[in-house]
């Protein structure tokens, strides 16, 4: 209510945040964490064997990890900050107040990670012989810092869905050391390594020419995969059990799949990834192309699914039991119902509903309380009102809005007066009727 509202229209505000977050997580997990672990493991294997060709491949990987991490990774990270700050300023403001020192520490860790990555890449030629061990230690430090960045951010993300006693104590440690932090950190750790293996395995066909070198690399990948897949499954199950009861019930719903489809796809996919790991450990230099392509695609889809599910099971909150997904504090709902939401909106051009400004007031209310998740039209049909409110009368919408959180528990309660309910209903009905009429 204290900030201007931005509507990204057809794209959808929620969709924009989701797309940016998923892209950043893919890059961060697969490249910065998983890729770094595999790269340093490969250099160590080359060092132990005195294999210069294998070391050259690890060096080639370091170049691309450096480029991708410091360009696409950094830009999508900034992109998340930009989109969430613009779309959900109340939520970001609250998280910054709660986790100020955690985010400051994460920034220092990220800078250290970049410095280590640059040092690691530019000292391949300088640190040879006895100094080679120093280069390997730098690589190990890089892996630790990359992982530690994720550890801190995961604590913040985990607190959004299960802040522990923070709502009562307002203690940083109550929020950060929540019960979901450790299992979700472990899940992301093993998912990152799995992603790295899945993405890098197909590249061996083109970039590792020597058959013996390929044998060494694939065995290395296989060992990581055989360890990571079961541990990812176990930590994922642990994470599920630490979620609030309502969030646990929403997991399958959030995926958009049926119970059977959700279980079948995830179990089969993980099983096939484990099978690939066993095949790679066997040292085969020839393996089914379909299986490696499937593993790469499935691992990327798995992390996408995880991010989508994690975002949706928080509903109706953005910070569980504290702030709703539209930025309204749980404690403010009754006050807004009594005094009006528009009266609390500092930047709204409408302060109260009249017959003359009813539609304008409805648009303001839609922007304040709906666009975080919904749009009038757009690509995600389950969220657009041209589909959800199609055929509804203005009276039906006005009757539904005050009860929507009881009928659909994933929706926040409407925080406003009866007149504001009618204004919002009038605006939605007009916009949906116009769009559907135009079709």
């Amino acid at each position: 209510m204290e900030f201007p509202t931005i509507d990204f229209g057809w794209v959808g505000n929620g969709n924009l945040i989701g797309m940016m977050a998923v892209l950043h997580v893919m890059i961060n997990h697969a490249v910065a964490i998983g890729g770094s672990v595999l790269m340093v493991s490969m250099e160590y294997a080359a060092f132990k064997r005195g294999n210069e060709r294998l070391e050259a491949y690890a060096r080639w990987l370091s170049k691309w990890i450096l480029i991708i991490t410091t360009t696409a990774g950094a830009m999508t990270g900034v992109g998340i900050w930009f989109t969430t700050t613009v779309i959900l300023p109340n939520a970001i403001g609250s998280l910054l107040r709660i986790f100020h020192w955690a985010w400051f520490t994460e920034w220092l860790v990220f800078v250290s990670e970049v410095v280590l990555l640059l040092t690691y890449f530019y000292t391949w030629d300088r640190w040879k012989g006895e100094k080679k061990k120093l280069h390997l230690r730098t690589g190990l430090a890089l892996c630790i810092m990359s992982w530690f960045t994720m550890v801190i951010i995961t604590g913040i993300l985990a607190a959004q869905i299960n802040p522990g006693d923070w709502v009562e104590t307002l203690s940083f440690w109550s929020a950060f050391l929540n019960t979901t932090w450790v299992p979700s950190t472990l899940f992301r750790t093993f998912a990152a390594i799995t992603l790295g293996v899945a993405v890098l395995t197909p590249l061996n066909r083109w970039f590792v020419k020597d058959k013996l070198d390929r044998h060494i690399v694939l065995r290395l990948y296989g060992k990581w995969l055989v360890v990571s897949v079961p541990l990812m499954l176990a930590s994922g199950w642990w994470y599920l059990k630490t979620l609030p009861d309502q969030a646990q019930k929403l997991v399958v719903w959030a995926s958009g799949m049926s119970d059977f489809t959700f279980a079948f796809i995830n179990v089969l996919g993980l099983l096939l990834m484990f099978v690939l790991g066993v095949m790679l450990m066997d040292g085969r230099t020839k393996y089914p192309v379909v299986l490696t392509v499937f593993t790469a695609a499935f691992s990327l889809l798995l992390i996408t699914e995880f991010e989508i599910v994690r975002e949706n099971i928080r509903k109706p909150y953005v910070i569980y039991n504290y702030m709703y997904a539209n930025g309204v504090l749980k404690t403010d709902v009754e006050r807004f119902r009594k005094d009006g939401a528009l009266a609390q909106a500092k930047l709204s051009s409408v302060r109260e509903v009249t017959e003359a400004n009813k539609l304008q007031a409805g648009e303001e209310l839609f922007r304040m309380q709906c666009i975080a998740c919904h749009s009038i039209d757009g690509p995600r049909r389950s969220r657009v009102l041209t589909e959800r409110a199609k055929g509804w009368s203005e009276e039906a919408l006005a009757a539904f809005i005050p009860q929507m959180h009881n009928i659909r528990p994933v929706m926040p309660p409407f925080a406003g007066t009866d007149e504001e309910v009618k204004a919002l209903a009038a605006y939605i009905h007009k916009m949906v009727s116009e769009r559907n009429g135009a079709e």
Side-chain angles (χ1 to χ4, degrees):
M1 303 296 176
E2 296 86 2
F3 301 95
T5 55
I6 308 296
D7 185 357
F8 285 93
W10 185 84
V11 173
N13 289 14
N15 292 338
L16 187 61
I17 291 176
M19 288 186 290
M20 189 63 67
V22 167
L23 183 58
H24 178 69
V25 168
M26 283 183 178
I27 295 169
N28 177 267
H29 284 31
V31 180
I33 300 173
S36 295
V37 168
L38 296 172
M39 169 187 69
V40 175
S41 299
M42 203 178 303
E43 185 194 5
Y44 179 74
F47 172 71
K48 294 289 285 184
R49 292 171 172 80
N51 189 325
E52 294 183 358
R53 295 185 307 274
L54 198 56
E55 182 178 335
Y57 181 56
R59 181 175 182 171
W60 177 83
L61 282 179
S62 71
K63 177 183 73 173
W64 287 104
I65 289 173
L66 173 64
I67 292 171
I68 294 170
T69 301
T70 56
T71 54
M75 287 189 293
T76 52
V78 173
I80 292 175
W81 273 104
F82 177 77
T83 53
T84 51
T85 301
V86 167
I87 295 169
L88 293 170
N90 285 329
I92 291 299
S94 294
L95 290 172
L96 281 171
R97 286 191 293 273
I98 301 167
F99 298 109
H100 170 80
W101 289 110
W103 250 314
F104 177 73
T105 303
E106 189 276 333
W107 182 80
L108 294 178
V109 172
F110 175 72
V111 171
S112 300
E113 177 191 347
V114 173
V115 170
L116 286 166
L117 181 55
L118 289 168
T119 303
Y120 182 80
F121 178 73
Y122 285 107
T123 54
W124 278 98
D125 293 328
R126 296 181 183 181
W127 291 351
K128 289 186 175 295
E130 285 301 313
K131 283 190 174 182
K132 189 63 180 174
K133 292 181 180 179
L134 178 59
H135 192 263
L136 285 166
R137 292 191 188 105
T138 303
L140 178 61
L142 167 64
C143 293
I144 292 171
M145 285 300 181
S146 299
W147 178 75
F148 198 49
T149 301
M150 184 191 71
V151 169
I152 297 172
I153 294 298
T154 301
I156 297 169
L157 295 177
Q160 284 185 267
I161 195 169
N162 193 349
D165 298 329
W166 175 83
V167 177
E168 290 79 31
T169 66
L170 300 181
S171 165
F172 164 82
W173 294 111
S174 294
F176 192 78
L177 300 178
N178 62 85
T179 56
T180 59
W181 176 46
V182 173
S184 58
T185 298
L186 291 174
F187 175 84
R188 286 182 178 276
T189 299
F190 298 119
I193 295 172
T194 302
L195 264 173
V197 173
V199 171
L200 289 179
T201 298
L203 298 180
N204 291 294
R205 292 179 177 271
W206 297 284
F207 298 106
V208 183
K209 303 298 184 182
D210 186 87
K211 189 174 181 179
L212 180 59
D213 295 344
R214 192 180 300 173
H215 174 86
I216 295 169
V217 171
L218 294 180
R219 280 183 59 84
L220 178 67
Y221 288 174
K223 290 176 183 177
W224 277 114
L225 201 57
V226 166
V227 170
S228 296
V229 171
L231 290 176
M232 179 173 63
L233 184 60
S235 55
W237 181 259
W238 181 17
Y239 175 55
L240 176 66
K241 293 304 177 183
T242 62
L243 296 173
D245 291 341
Q246 177 63 18
Q248 290 186 35
K249 295 174 183 176
L250 293 176
V251 169
V252 178
W253 167 84
S255 71
M257 294 182 270
S258 67
D259 289 356
F260 174 78
T261 304
F262 179 82
F264 178 78
I265 289 178
N266 284 283
V267 171
L268 179 63
L270 290 170
L271 179 61
L272 289 175
M273 291 171 74
F274 185 79
V275 168
L276 175 62
V278 173
M279 291 178 64
L280 295 178
M281 280 188 67
D282 189 44
R284 302 182 185 185
T285 55
K286 292 185 179 179
Y287 42 86
V289 177
V290 173
L291 184 57
T292 57
V293 172
F294 168 82
T295 303
F298 176 78
S299 62
L300 293 172
L301 290 173
L302 182 66
I303 202 67
T304 301
E305 177 192 73
F306 176 75
E307 289 300 308
I308 291 172
V309 168
R310 183 184 60 79
E311 286 292 319
N312 282 301
I313 59 178
R314 284 203 309 262
K315 300 290 190 296
Y317 300 103
V318 66
I319 302 175
Y320 217 77
N321 211 33
Y322 172 70
M323 180 182 288
Y324 288 111
N326 53 17
V328 176
L329 294 176
K330 185 179 180 180
T331 54
D332 282 342
V333 172
E334 290 305 318
R335 180 165 64 90
F336 288 178
R337 284 174 174 170
K338 179 183 177 182
D339 300 334
L342 292 170
Q344 316 302 319
K346 296 178 180 178
L347 298 177
S348 173
S349 58
V350 180
R351 309 300 292 177
E352 61 179 334
V353 180
T354 66
E355 199 58 40
N357 69 12
K358 190 174 184 179
L359 289 175
Q360 185 183 358
E363 182 178 6
E364 290 280 357
L365 290 161
F366 180 79
R367 292 166 70 93
M368 286 191 292
Q369 297 202 35
C370 304
I371 60 171
C373 298
H374 296 282
S375 57
I376 297 297
D377 202 355
R380 195 172 177 183
R381 310 311 293 173
S382 62
R383 295 286 183 88
V384 300
L385 295 182
T386 48
E387 292 293 326
R388 302 307 301 266
K390 187 176 183 178
W392 286 51
S393 67
E394 188 176 325
E395 293 74 20
L397 286 168
F400 172 73
I401 290 170
Q403 301 299 324
M404 61 187 178
H405 60 292
N406 294 321
I407 299 168
R408 294 184 60 79
V410 295
M411 297 183 71
F414 179 73
T417 64
D418 291 343
E419 290 304 311
E420 289 174 337
V421 168
K422 294 174 183 176
L424 178 58
Y427 173 73
I428 291 174
H429 180 262
K430 177 178 181 294
M431 297 302 294
V432 171
S433 298
E434 286 179 356
R435 300 290 175 89
N436 285 326
E439 292 175 2

